[in-house]
Amino acid sequence: MAAATTDDTGLRKGRFAPYGLLSPGILWLLLFFLVPVVMLVKASLSTKPSRFAEPEFAWDFSNYTAALSEYSPEFIRSFLYAGIATVLAILIGYPLAYWIATCGGRWKNFLIGLVVVPFFTSYLIRTIAWTSILQDDGVVTGLYQLLPWVGSDGRILATPMAVVGGLTYNFISFMILPIYVSLEKIDFRLTEAAADLGCAPWRAFRKVVLPLSLPGIFAGSLLVFIPAAGDYLNARYLGSPQTSMIGTVVQNKFLVQFDYPQAAALSLVLMVIITVMVLVYSRFLGTEGLAV
Amino acid sequence: MTNRVTRRRFLVSTAALGGLAAGSTALAACGGSEESGSSTTAAGGGGAAANTLTFDNWTLYIDKPNDDLFGEGGTLAEFQKATGIEVEYTEGINDNNELFAKIQPLLSKGDPIGSTIIAPTFWMAGRLLQLGWLDKLPLAEIPNAANLIPSLQDPPSDPTGEYSLPWQSGMAGIAYNQAITGRELTTMDDMWDPAFNGKIGMLTEMRDTIGLIALSLGIDLADPDSQDYQPAFAKLEEEVANGQIRQFTGNDYVDDLEQGNFAACIGWSGDVAQLSVSNPDIKFVVPESGGTLWFDTMVIPKGSTAEQIEAAGKFMNFVYDPVNAARITEFVQYISPVQGVQEELRKMGGEAATLADNQLLFPNASTLARLQTWGTLSVEKEQQMDEEFARISGA
Amino acid sequence: MAEGAAPPVVAEVRPATGSTRASRAGSGWGRRILTLVAIAAYVWLFLPILNIVVFSFNDPAGKYNLSWDGFTLANWADPFKDAQLTEAFWRSLIVAAVAVTIALAMGSFIAIALSRYRFTGNKATEVFLILPLTTPEIVLGASLYQLFLGRDVVLGQATVTIAHIMFLVSFVAMTVKARVRGFDWTVEDAAMDLGARPLRVFWKVTFPLILPGILAAALLSFALSLDDYIVTDFTRGEFTTFPIQVNNAFRVSYPPQVNVLATLILIVTLILFTIGPLSQRRRSRAT
């Protein structure tokens, strides 16, 4: 058995070790995720003779054609909302993570914990609190109505804005934490050195810190965009009939219409589209993508 | 060299340990569940002796003395005292469709679901009956079934009355916040008042939403297969398109009414009974054109043993005794299906006695005359209506 | 720090002189704006929490704790008043503790394997890890349910825990990977060249370096597990967790005890997070 060899960056070409490390988690997922997904694929190609009959496997692709033709508005809307939420999460989350990493000092762990602590409450509890804060007669909505293009019958709740806001709020920890952990390992003496050499702070940030924190941004974007695209709770509680997302359709198809084949097809289409998007995104990020 | 090999081995063995831990958790699941209350099992009828009974119900649908379902003096405790039967009561039902999704795979294979009694809403009970998944009630054990109020006898969902007994009942009508509407509402047309644009809510419960709209258009609900509900759907779609209807909600409309996001919505009588205690501006009215009467039922899905069914019968008989029914109503505050509850509440005095005069719990004759219960929809028609409703409500 | 080698990677201890702080975070005004943004973000994060805490002191007249009826301490005097709610509360905590611990171990191993080794299937594994996140929860829950049914598995605490571990592993792996990516692993070689045994290397060198990633993943996972509804609902049988109980009960009531229990979780976790920095102060005083 050859000993592990290393190359220049310290990466190892492992023969046995990596598979050993991977096996518990991957086996778990294979059993409790992949097997159900295979069942899903089978279901998506099935038909049901009547609403409450068992699905019959029939290599039937009509569920897929329906998924793409009838529900493309929901797909597009979901990706749009999730995309905006991801960008907002970066815009809000990065500065916060940066501040904690650089100014946090001894209290870093406390401050980063503070970011997640609100989400130890139940989603319903938080949403009720938000509807209380954003209610039509509340202070926040009153301020919003002062904006020139809004007027006195503007509202925050039951709008796309509220849905995107809810998505951003509920997933922002998933952006902040990965960015923080990647920022936290940066040796900021590099930026100090750059400053000593006369480099403007913004430039130092752009050239040194930002690239080093890219893995965090990448991980955070995935952890926000992916579940947000499939979400339905925010659209349901904070949205209106016009804001329904693909998750809403899947939920309905499965639970109310009891159309498991159609729900399965929609889910698989969602999975495929998102996976493709992620691959493109990782390529776009260059060397910080999935490969290395 | 030696060091590295050892380290690799160390990492691998740690990983293996982790895998073992994970694997044993998985194996534990296959062994048996240790949790209190019954577990949903896919095989075996449980074989419980006739001195326990499993009843899965909606949350907070039975009295809860000292904030404990099994508290002293409560219905469950009293039942155990009277018959020696312990009720393994769970509050697992949140939604009829979710319930169906969970029990369908079991019942279609002929497996028991783990609970002897469940409490689906009448139309779901009707579906279960249509699919042949219900056992007959042991009516011999339930002489008190004679106490069932006339308006709920032999419902369309169970024409012979042999498969279900109502648990609680309620009305769907207009719930509104008078502080926002500025006036009383009495008809469905009030819901379409342009002054309330963007402040009207509808229920995700298709039968209640379409039911009220259909009744306002003069379309009956008793024999649905003979009617065309397209005008009701068209009206709903119109009001969604012009922004009159803000949202389709489940129970969370109580939140929106309270916060002032809804001026009015279709709501349920029991919720308003609760809300109006802390906010007297919130009112409930059955529209002039009519409202829907719904009820949740006790049914026995197939798979229970004869002893379990007998125990279930004893329980149903117990809760159909007006004294016990009154105790439940005092807490739950929905419409009781048992005759004589009003008098029992008056006897109890205090707050219970005021409930006896509450129109939401004991609607008078003229209100009752305006209420209709949905007849049973054929599978095809129900499917078509559910899909149309989902399309319009943005689900 | 006994190793003696001078690793070029980040050290935990940084000289906290005034000038270095300033140049690290930019000039004075830049730093002030950053602090303002951070504070604004925290306010936004905690706005609903404030609402929840305030309403935990409410004395609602009816069963819905939605409008202010009067101040009371009674809810706090008896937070465990509702037997079923409290039971569900503890159950959620236990499930989360077990699921997070196991998922942390498995997920961290995956992260290390993916970042430190080059092997066939590296990229495929990375893509595979994303998939559980892309599947809508209703579908995850329902298909797991079918799986358990098909194997005649009894649904309850164990199946819920299994399901939670399943969707947590990907989150953990990605969060820890963000920390581990780009490491200079020659640190470990240096340590071992100096004679440290493998176990010691792991605990004294590797583990402290990835610890922030693990802690962050632990936090996220705990929140995810506590809050999960749909997957839990399908895999639980009769086993009730806190969100199940709250969501189901909302049909008829919304008691202030819900707010109290929610606030309690907040307080306990905040206390836990304060212990760390306080004990650190003592330690650095000693050295």
Side-chain angles (χ1 to χ4, degrees), chain B residues 39-62:
Chain B
S39 323
T40 308
T41 165
N51 52 14
T52 55
L53 170 68
T54 47
F55 181 1
D56 196 23
N57 204 348
W58 301 74
T59 316
L60 292 167
Y61 227 6
I62 200 171

Side-chain angles (χ1 to χ4, degrees), chain C residues 82-96:
Chain C
D82 186 311
Q84 276 70 39
L85 189 66
T86 307
E87 211 183 304
F89 179 67
W90 290 122
R91 287 173 171 177
S92 275
L93 289 179
I94 295 173
V95 167

Side-chain angles (χ1 to χ4, degrees), chain B residues 15-351:
Chain B
L17 273 175
L20 263 180
S24 55
T25 319
L27 282 174
C30 297
S33 181
E34 54 305 290
E35 277 315 306
S36 61
S38 61
S39 323
T40 308
T41 165
N51 52 14
T52 55
L53 170 68
T54 47
F55 181 1
D56 196 23
N57 204 348
W58 301 74
T59 316
L60 292 167
Y61 227 6
I62 200 171
D63 54 301
K64 218 167 160 170
N66 298 318
D67 288 292
D68 186 351
L69 287 170
F70 305 97
E72 183 73 33
T75 303
L76 295 174
E78 291 295 312
F79 178 69
Q80 185 165 8
K81 258 198 239 165
T83 62
I85 302 174
E86 182 192 345
V87 182
E88 284 175 10
Y89 183 93
T90 52
E91 296 178 310
I93 304 183
N94 178 43
D95 177 80
N96 286 295
N97 291 306
E98 247 175 69
L99 171 69
F100 186 77
K102 288 201 242 177
I103 64 180
Q104 183 266 350
L106 295 162
L107 290 171
S108 62
K109 279 194 291 177
D111 289 336
I113 64 170
S115 293
T116 301
I117 311 179
I118 55 172
T121 308
F122 70 98
W123 54 269
M124 180 54 75
R127 183 191 290 180
L128 294 176
L129 182 58
Q130 264 177 338
L131 289 165
W133 292 341
L134 296 181
D135 271 334
K136 281 196 188 170
L137 300 182
L139 289 173
E141 300 285 337
I142 320 176
N144 283 336
N147 295 338
L148 180 58
I149 60 179
S151 54
L152 290 178
Q153 284 174 2
D154 298 332
S157 53
D158 180 18
T160 60
E162 291 172 310
Y163 292 89
S164 65
L165 264 183
W167 172 257
Q168 295 291 315
S169 179
M171 305 179 270
I174 299 178
Y176 65 99
N177 188 333
Q178 189 159 358
I180 302 179
T181 61
R183 62 182 177 90
E184 283 186 6
L185 303 186
T186 53
T187 68
M188 281 304 285
D189 284 334
D190 287 329
M191 301 281 268
W192 316 133
D193 187 336
F196 306 138
N197 190 290
K199 299 284 234 182
I200 298 294
M202 294 278 129
L203 288 174
T204 50
E205 181 65 56
M206 184 270 290
R207 281 174 178 76
D208 289 328
T209 301
I210 293 296
L212 259 67
I213 298 179
L215 287 173
S216 75
L217 297 173
I219 311 173
D220 247 29
L221 310 179
D223 185 14
D225 283 333
S226 67
Q227 305 279 2
D228 178 23
Y229 295 98
Q230 193 46 40
F233 284 105
K235 179 66 176 164
L236 185 68
E237 189 163 13
E238 177 197 328
E239 299 296 342
V240 166
N242 67 26
Q244 183 79 6
I245 294 175
R246 177 181 171 128
Q247 265 184 325
F248 286 78
T249 66
N251 256 91
D252 35 302
Y253 69 82
V254 301
D255 183 29
D256 288 302
L257 269 181
E258 183 72 42
Q259 320 281 21
N261 300 320
F262 285 166
C265 63
I266 299 183
W268 291 306
S269 51
D271 295 337
V272 179
Q274 279 311 308
L275 270 183
S276 54
V277 173
S278 66
N279 188 343
D281 284 326
I282 298 190
K283 301 198 157 66
F284 179 87
V285 67
V286 175
E288 279 168 16
S289 46
T292 58
L293 183 72
W294 55 265
F295 55 97
D296 293 323
T297 64
M298 293 184 281
V299 296
I300 302 180
K302 286 197 188 284
S304 291
T305 65
E307 292 84 25
Q308 288 168 322
I309 297 180
E310 186 188 324
K314 293 201 163 84
F315 182 78
M316 293 185 194
N317 193 50
F318 189 77
V319 296
Y320 263 69
D321 179 326
V323 174
N324 299 319
R327 188 193 305 119
I328 297 177
T329 300
E330 187 201 358
F331 182 84
V332 166
Q333 296 187 15
Y334 272 94
I335 300 177
S336 178
V338 179
Q339 292 180 53
V341 168
Q342 214 169 1
E343 291 75 52
E344 287 301 325
L345 283 174
R346 290 212 176 92
K347 278 192 221 162
M348 286 160 84
E351 272 190 42

